[in-house]
Amino acid sequence: MVWASSSRIAEMKETGDPTTLAPEICVEVMSESNDWEEMEEKADLYRKAGAEEVWIVDGEEKVHFIAEEEMEGSEIAPGFPRSV
């Protein structure tokens, strides 16, 4: 799942099809087969592609907000809950 502003969508279109620019927010939902090492690698790839935040929802439905490092909450969507 992702979220992109209209200006980011326009920027993404300019990079080609498929785009090489990530949306502002990328969300990963962990399954039983995922581990934290894999999730950290995915978060790193999204960030390198331009994502400002990566949200990881763990098996206990807790949301982990990651930018340069893990944050207490989203800076882009400050009211988003820490659990879903």
Side-chain angles (χ1 to χ4, degrees):
M1 182 179 303
V2 300
W3 178 84
S5 64
S6 56
S7 60
R8 177 58 69 98
I9 291 170
E11 288 178 71
M12 290 169 66
K13 287 179 180 178
E14 291 177 9
T15 69
D17 185 20
T19 185
T20 57
L21 178 63
E24 288 101 329
I25 299 173
C26 297
V27 181
E28 282 285 336
V29 178
M30 291 181 75
S31 67
E32 290 182 15
S33 64
N34 297 124
D35 60 29
W36 275 105
E37 183 177 338
E38 180 182 4
M39 292 294 101
E40 289 169 354
E41 288 174 11
K42 287 183 176 188
D44 187 47
L45 290 173
Y46 287 132
R47 297 271 302 132
K48 286 180 180 175
E52 295 175 26
E53 294 182 3
V54 178
W55 299 0
I56 299 173
V57 182
D58 67 20
E60 297 175 359
E61 300 176 352
K62 180 179 176 189
V63 182
H64 302 263
F65 302 96
I66 302 167
E68 298 277 330
E69 55 189 38
E70 189 163 350
M71 307 177 296
E72 287 296 314
S74 172
E75 292 181 1
I76 297 172
F80 198 86
R82 289 202 46 98
S83 63
V84 291

